Amino acid sequence: THTHAHSMADAINLAAGACGDRVTSTPAGNPASCVAEYCFDGQPNTRFSSDPAFHTSRGGFGWVQVDLGQPCNLTAFRVRFEAAYGVDFQIFAASEAESLGVVCYEDNTVGSEWLIAQVWNNRSLSWEINLDEPAEGCRFVRIVNRKGCNRDWGFSIFDFEVLGHPAGLPPK
């Protein structure tokens, strides 16, 4: 596991249990068994797996987005990939879902005002990313795979935890 920046003490997983219309993504590789909400179900053996054909047609980019249900102050993230891990990935957050709709497939600069974390040249299946300063008032969070370890696989995530506190509630 790789760690970046400061401690996650007292943070809660704000995305735990997210499902239904609170979770959106690029197409799943197997819509019956690898849906995006599996990133948030807390089960160690379920996963989201993106459609490899979708990635091939778009240069490897794909994403998963979660609605936290209320504005939150984000402090950290945990990502646990399956063997089809993201080599280059970014995490975006905003108060409105429409803001993240501009996070473009081909251009890393579009939507950069909502970029809060990024990892390049990853070679690990597990990451903890701690923000230097909390990202405040965020309700929507999107992880974008910019490059996968194998272009033919797409990318696959067992768990994506969004850590922090609801806005207006101080950490314990």
Side-chain angles (χ1 to χ4, degrees), residues 64-84:
V64 172
Q65 179 172 304
V66 62
D67 175 355
L68 302 175
Q70 63 183 328
C72 296
N73 298 333
L74 312 180
T75 57
F77 304 93
R78 289 189 189 119
V79 183
R80 189 168 63 94
F81 290 104
E82 195 254 352

Side-chain angles (χ1 to χ4, degrees), residues 62-145:
W63 52 267
V64 172
Q65 179 172 304
V66 62
D67 175 355
L68 302 175
Q70 63 183 328
C72 296
N73 298 333
L74 312 180
T75 57
F77 304 93
R78 289 189 189 119
V79 183
R80 189 168 63 94
F81 290 104
E82 195 254 352
Y85 61 89
V87 172
D88 298 340
F89 62 95
Q90 298 172 303
I91 298 173
F92 296 83
S95 60
E96 300 291 330
E98 294 79 23
S99 299
L100 298 184
V102 302
V103 176
C104 180
Y105 295 112
E106 290 81 17
D107 184 349
N108 287 341
T109 63
V110 174
S112 61
E113 61 266 40
W114 298 287
L115 177 66
I116 57 175
Q118 61 187 357
V119 173
W120 301 119
N121 299 311
N122 172 41
R123 296 291 181 254
S124 176
L125 298 181
S126 182
W127 273 85
E128 291 181 2
I129 302 166
N130 299 292
L131 303 178
D132 292 326
E133 298 291 328
E136 297 182 348
C138 301
R139 178 173 170 176
F140 299 89
V141 178
R142 180 181 287 195
I143 184 169
V144 178
N145 181 54

